Amino acid sequence: MLDSKGFDLWADDYDKSVNLCEESDEYPFAGYKDVLGGIYQIIKSGSGKKILDIGFGTGILSKKLYDEGYCVNGMDFSEKMIEIAAAKMPEAVLCRHDFTKGLPETFKNERFDAIICTYAIHHLSVSQQTALLKELKEHLLPQGKILIGDVAFETMEELDHCREISRDDWDDEEIYPVAEILRTDFPEVLFQKVSFCAGILILPAA
C-alpha cells in the first residue's frame, strides 16, 4: 500500500499511469473515466454547488467542477498531489490530511451538497470505511449525496470473480467496497456498475 511519500513520487506520472491501464481495459482502472463522468453527471443533475473531494489526487474531477463554478473543497495526504491540484484550482480550499482519521478541523463545521471520493476509500478497512461514511453523512446538506467511485462491486461473488481473472495483478492489500457489505450499515446504498472492476456507490443524506 502506498503511503504519502509513495504518492508524492507517483504524482507526476499518476494520470499517465491511469490512462494506460484504462485504455487497455485492465484492472484496476478499467472504466476510470466513465466512473468520473458518472459522478460528474450525478452532481450536475443536482442543484447544489458545494463539493468536498476526499483524496482528490491531481484534481481531475474537481477541476472540471471548479471550472463550472462549483465551490470545491478537498483533502489529500500527498503534498505533491496537493501542489498539482492547487495550481489547477487556486481558489479551492485544499488541505493536507489523512482521511483515515476522519475529517480535518477545516471541514468539521461544514455541510456539502456532494462528498466525492474516487479511487481512495479502498485504502481503508471495512470498519474504517463504515466509520468514515457515518461521519460524512453528518456533513451532507438535506439533498446531498456521498459518491464513491472505485474498484467496487455489488456482491462479494463479483469481487471474487474479478480477483480470479486479474490473477497476479490483484492487490490483496486494498479493500474494495462492496455494496452488499455496506448495506449492513447503510441499507440505502445504491450501486451503479461501470466496468467489470469498477462502479459508483451512492449514499444519500436521507
Side-chain angles (χ1 to χ4, degrees):
M1 183 179 295
L2 287 174
D3 58 14
S4 61
K5 291 182 180 178
F7 276 108
D8 285 345
L9 293 171
W10 193 21
D12 289 332
D13 293 322
Y14 178 80
D15 295 345
K16 183 186 297 184
S17 299
V18 170
N19 288 337
L20 288 172
C21 184
E22 185 193 35
E23 288 169 4
S24 301
D25 197 34
E26 296 175 349
Y27 159 89
F29 289 117
Y32 176 83
K33 290 179 183 175
D34 289 334
V35 167
L36 269 58
I39 291 175
Y40 169 80
Q41 292 298 333
I42 293 170
I43 292 173
K44 290 289 288 183
S45 69
S47 57
K49 289 285 190 177
K50 191 173 182 182
I51 308 299
L52 174 62
D53 192 345
I54 295 175
F56 53 78
T58 58
I60 295 173
L61 177 55
S62 290
K63 173 64 162 63
K64 187 167 181 61
L65 294 166
Y66 178 88
D67 288 345
E68 296 187 15
Y70 284 78
C71 175
V72 172
N73 305 265
M75 58 183 178
D76 199 284
F77 75 164
S78 166
E79 194 66 45
K80 183 64 174 177
M81 294 283 197
I82 294 171
E83 288 177 10
I84 293 170
K88 298 176 182 178
M89 304 178 290
E91 295 184 15
V93 178
L94 307 177
C95 68
R96 185 177 184 184
H97 183 72
D98 182 352
F99 67 87
T100 64
K101 299 177 174 61
L103 288 182
E105 288 299 322
T106 305
F107 303 129
K108 283 292 187 182
N109 297 315
E110 301 290 334
R111 299 290 184 273
F112 304 94
D113 296 295
I115 299 176
I116 60 181
C117 183
T118 55
Y119 292 85
I121 202 170
H122 58 248
H123 294 298
L124 306 184
S125 67
V126 172
S127 62
Q128 288 175 318
Q129 290 177 19
T130 298
L132 178 64
L133 291 174
K134 286 180 178 179
E135 179 179 6
L136 295 181
K137 277 200 75 172
E138 297 176 358
H139 292 270
L140 287 175
L141 289 165
Q143 301 302 314
K145 293 181 175 71
I146 299 170
L147 302 167
I148 308 294
D150 212 315
V151 175
F153 306 91
E154 175 68 45
T155 67
M156 281 301 301
E157 183 179 358
E158 291 178 0
L159 182 149
D160 290 338
H161 177 67
C162 185
R163 179 194 287 122
E164 181 180 344
I165 63 175
S166 301
R167 298 182 181 178
D168 293 341
D169 292 330
W170 185 264
D171 190 339
D172 285 316
E173 292 187 353
E174 297 186 341
I175 310 300
Y176 300 120
V178 178
E180 70 175 2
I181 301 297
L182 289 175
R183 288 195 187 107
T184 301
D185 294 282
F186 309 101
E188 68 274 31
V189 163
L190 302 174
F191 181 73
Q192 293 182 3
K193 185 173 181 177
V194 174
S195 76
F196 74 95
C197 67
I200 301 169
L201 294 148
I202 305 166
L203 180 58

